[in-house]
Amino acid sequence: MYTEQVMDHFANPRNVGEIENADGIGEVGNAVCGDIMKMYIKVEDNVITDVKFKTYGCGSAIATSSIATEMIMGKTIEEALSLSNKAVVEALGGLPAHKIHCSVLAEQSIKAAIADYYTRQGIDPAPIVGVIPECEGGHCH
Amino acid sequence: MEKRFVYADNAATTKISKQVLEVMLPAMELYGNPSSLYALGSKSKQAIETARKQCADAIGADAKEIFFTSGGSEADNWAIKGAAARMEKLNKKHIISTAFEHHAVLHTLDALKKQGFEVTLLPVHENGIIRVDEFISALREDTGLVTIMFANNEIGTIQPIEQIGAICREKKIMFHVDAVQAVGNVHIDVKALNIDLMSVSGHKLHAPKGIGMLYIRKGVAIANLIDGGAQERGRRAGTENIASIVGFGKAMEIAANTVDSRIEKVTALRNRFIDGALKIERSRLNGDRDMRLCGNANVCFEGIEGESLLLMLDMQGICASSGSACTSGSLDPSHVLLAIGLPHEIAHGSLRITLTDENTIEDVDYILEKLPPIVDRLRQMSPLWEKIKKEENK
């Protein structure tokens, strides 16, 4: 069902954990749906210098969050904001159709962390990051 | 412990047993059409009738009451739709079932609802067992069919079939039992239990996929399934799947003859697993502990999701299943776990281990060795677990 890349990131997830004194923390999803992603970022001079994640969810939820952390590490905020769920799916060599929402959550968790970073800086994130829905796809209860 | 391969998903399907395979291989060469007059055909016919007798003996039925099907789903569909066709003639339109039937039953009932039938689904409560008094209250003048599973496929809970059967017989209501999970794991005597229709599947009891049966009690009139030739007494036409029928007959014979020793051995294995698994903090057993199939254990671990648990178990060579949304292929966790009242977030973290007499203590101990560190690892990366622990420390 899963590609080698998905299984690799699931079995050996990169950047798992928390960052103490993170500059931004974003959490999306909820327990009822069966997936929660929490992203921690450290930002210096507009560059993401460290990123860690914690995920409750299925194999692809863990794999998408893992690869997403790799894809934004060392990138500027703007570059990180431009990361699309599609790019995450491509980097994993594809996801089953009913797992695409995991990649959307990964994208949103990064946006949520950046929004939190902006808020802490006293900047309104809404015009930059946009609105992050509380729950992706409206499939929740 | 060295890496092992442990198949612990026997409620999903089972391995074909050696004894079954042994009788099937020569049967593969019985190419004569059982309906043909010459000796070659008679040989095939004989093989089928021997199997039919084996199936009948295994459940206390007469051979004439056994009708081979392609499996459990077909048998469920036939029983329910066939009974519904009969109900129409009797001007009855009410059917009673339970909230946690297999989808082969629930979706068939959905189809009938669209045709105007009314369906009452009995609640199954926290222990996963229907209550006879609630069944009695649900009965109506126009109740024409009761369809209740012998034992649930996910949580293994055994239903009060004997009591329901007695009431149905007294009220002359057709009683169908989906016994797909139960055969070979409990004693079944269709006459003593007053069962009118009963579905059985071969691949759950070490026979191949694609074979099963419907028991239709003599005198119970339901519509035919497939019109055509005279096979299965004209009720389910089509040239027979001889080798599978032969294998199925053998499997039924073994299942019935060894049921006592199986219950004894497998119950001990299952209890060993349950006791070990429940040592993990914030875990729970789903369904009644005693009124459940000997091989079934269904446990929830808070803070983790079932699919990732299964993937990690698979990496250790352990085959199991879960009722999480991700594994059900839908957005909701299993309807069975929701029916026994589990909240979504707990149902997502379920693990089903189903054992047979081919499993060993070493298998169970291997699972118990691998499971706790996997649960722990997933919890360490779970923000939900983090929340649960924070709540605890408040």
Side-chain angles (χ1 to χ4, degrees):
Chain A
M1 179 170 103
Y2 288 134
T3 63
E4 259 177 54
Q5 295 96 307
V6 173
M7 285 312 290
D8 176 39
H9 276 272
F10 169 72
N12 313 292
R14 287 38 149 194
N15 307 310
V16 179
E18 300 167 24
I19 299 176
E20 264 184 68
N21 311 315
D23 296 318
I25 302 174
E27 184 180 307
V28 293
N30 69 58
V32 174
C33 300
D35 31 36
I36 302 174
M37 285 185 198
K38 198 168 178 181
M39 282 283 170
Y40 298 77
I41 53 170
K42 198 84 192 150
V43 183
E44 270 171 52
D45 298 333
N46 200 43
V47 170
I48 295 172
T49 55
D50 197 11
V51 48
K52 289 249 187 311
F53 83 92
K54 276 183 130 182
T55 289
Y56 155 76
C58 61
S60 63
I62 291 170
T64 51
S65 14
S66 166
I67 202 162
T69 62
E70 280 195 329
M71 293 170 85
I72 63 164
M73 183 81 84
K75 298 282 162 68
T76 63
I77 296 269
E78 291 72 26
E79 284 168 332
L81 277 177
S82 70
L83 180 76
S84 69
N85 81 297
K86 222 178 133 198
V88 170
V89 174
E90 274 166 20
L92 286 170
L95 279 177
H98 64 290
K99 300 284 186 181
I100 295 294
H101 78 273
C102 292
S103 66
V104 178
L105 275 181
E107 176 195 319
Q108 287 169 351
S109 64
I110 289 166
K111 293 204 161 92
I114 293 172
D116 182 50
Y117 166 73
Y118 278 129
T119 306
R120 291 182 193 206
Q121 302 295 312
I123 303 165
D124 177 13
I128 312 165
V129 179
V131 180
I132 298 156
E134 195 193 318
C135 197
E136 177 273 322
H139 73 254
C140 288
H141 308 267
Chain B
M1 215 185 272
E2 258 181 60
K3 190 170 173 184
R4 296 172 73 93
F5 174 77
V6 177
Y7 186 74
D9 200 15
N10 289 283
T13 194
T14 57
K15 184 179 165 183
I16 296 185
S17 73
K18 271 207 179 93
Q19 291 153 288
V20 168
L21 194 61
E22 268 168 27
V23 297
M24 281 185 73
L25 289 175
M28 294 261 188
E29 294 189 271
L30 293 176
Y31 69 91
N33 191 318
S35 302
S36 298
L37 200 66
Y38 37 77
L40 184 72
S42 303
K43 240 176 125 180
S44 300
K45 181 82 181 160
Q46 223 170 24
I48 291 172
E49 294 317 310
T50 301
R52 199 184 305 281
K53 181 76 168 59
Q54 288 169 318
C55 289
D57 289 347
I59 60 166
D62 190 272
K64 285 181 180 162
E65 298 171 313
I66 304 299
F67 297 84
F68 293 117
T69 66
S70 67
S73 290
E74 182 185 314
D76 283 340
N77 270 262
W78 183 8
I80 295 167
K81 288 174 185 165
R86 175 74 187 151
M87 283 168 67
E88 278 184 323
K89 288 185 184 152
L90 301 170
N91 278 323
K92 290 186 172 185
K93 62 173 183 181
H94 184 233
I95 302 171
I96 298 175
S97 188
T98 79
F100 73 168
E101 293 297 309
H102 191 274
H103 284 132
V105 169
L106 286 180
H107 290 167
T108 302
L109 293 174
D110 285 342
L112 289 177
K113 273 198 265 184
K114 286 183 191 145
Q115 294 172 30
F117 286 91
E118 289 170 21
V119 177
T120 300
L121 296 180
L122 299 171
V124 292
H125 306 284
E126 199 190 335
N127 65 354
I129 299 171
I130 57 164
R131 293 185 186 152
V132 176
D133 59 328
E134 288 178 341
F135 165 71
I136 293 169
S137 311
L139 286 166
R140 301 190 336 202
E141 277 294 304
D142 63 343
T143 304
L145 172 68
V146 172
T147 171
I148 290 171
M149 66 199 328
F150 210 117
N152 183 265
N153 49 314
E154 287 188 38
I155 58 173
T157 48
I158 299 168
Q159 305 305 308
I161 295 300
E162 187 173 6
Q163 288 151 284
I164 305 287
I167 296 164
C168 287
R169 185 60 53 87
E170 186 202 316
K171 299 198 176 292
K172 297 191 169 66
I173 298 169
M174 277 186 282
F175 182 35
H176 168 245
V177 174
D178 174 349
V180 165
Q181 295 288 339
V183 173
N185 295 310
V186 285
H187 284 277
I188 299 180
D189 180 329
V190 287
K191 298 285 186 278
L193 296 170
N194 290 304
I195 295 170
D196 294 319
L197 302 158
M198 188 170 87
S199 309
V200 183
S201 168
H203 75 101
K204 310 287 190 187
L205 35 106
H206 306 285
K209 282 104 182 129
I211 187 70
M213 66 174 224
L214 180 64
Y215 156 78
I216 307 177
R217 185 172 67 87
K218 188 168 179 280
V220 171
I222 65 166
N224 295 344
L225 182 65
I226 301 176
D227 294 317
Q231 296 91 353
E232 301 305 299
R233 312 182 78 198
R235 308 190 71 170
R236 199 262 187 197
T239 302
E240 299 89 339
N241 180 357
I242 305 165
S244 289
I245 289 173
V246 166
F248 180 48
K250 187 68 187 172
M252 286 290 280
E253 183 186 79
I254 297 168
N257 288 348
T258 56
V259 66
D260 288 317
S261 60
R262 182 174 309 107
I263 291 173
E264 195 187 327
K265 182 192 167 187
V266 181
T267 301
L269 292 178
R270 179 204 70 193
N271 288 345
R272 190 179 179 94
F273 172 76
I274 292 174
D275 291 339
L278 292 184
K279 282 186 190 145
I280 295 173
E281 67 171 317
R282 288 200 168 252
S283 59
R284 70 172 80 186
L285 178 69
N286 297 316
D288 195 88
R289 178 157 180 145
D290 299 314
M291 282 301 286
R292 70 190 303 133
L293 292 175
C294 53
N296 177 291
N298 191 310
V299 186
C300 277
F301 304 105
E302 288 183 43
I304 63 170
E305 193 278 333
E307 191 211 70
S308 43
L309 178 59
L310 294 188
L311 289 172
M312 288 202 173
L313 287 170
D314 183 37
M315 287 175 198
Q316 300 297 330
I318 300 164
C319 306
S321 85
S322 168
S324 82
C326 277
T327 52
S328 71
S330 73
L331 300 168
D332 283 317
S334 113
H335 70 288
V336 173
L337 298 179
L338 296 180
I340 60 168
L342 287 188
H344 278 65
E345 61 271 30
I346 291 178
H348 286 307
S350 79
L351 172 69
R352 181 186 73 177
I353 295 281
T354 42
L355 307 166
T356 67
D357 40 13
E358 291 193 1
N359 290 109
T360 60
I361 285 188
E362 287 74 26
D363 286 347
V364 172
D365 288 349
Y366 180 74
I367 303 172
L368 288 174
E369 179 197 302
K370 298 297 175 190
L371 181 62
I374 290 175
V375 171
D376 190 52
R377 187 175 169 204
L378 289 169
R379 281 175 171 175
Q380 288 315 312
M381 66 168 93
S382 165
L384 179 60
W385 182 246
E386 187 184 310
K387 273 179 204 151
I388 291 167
K389 293 311 271 184
K390 261 186 204 153
E391 286 291 314
E392 254 180 19
N393 295 331
K394 258 185 193 168

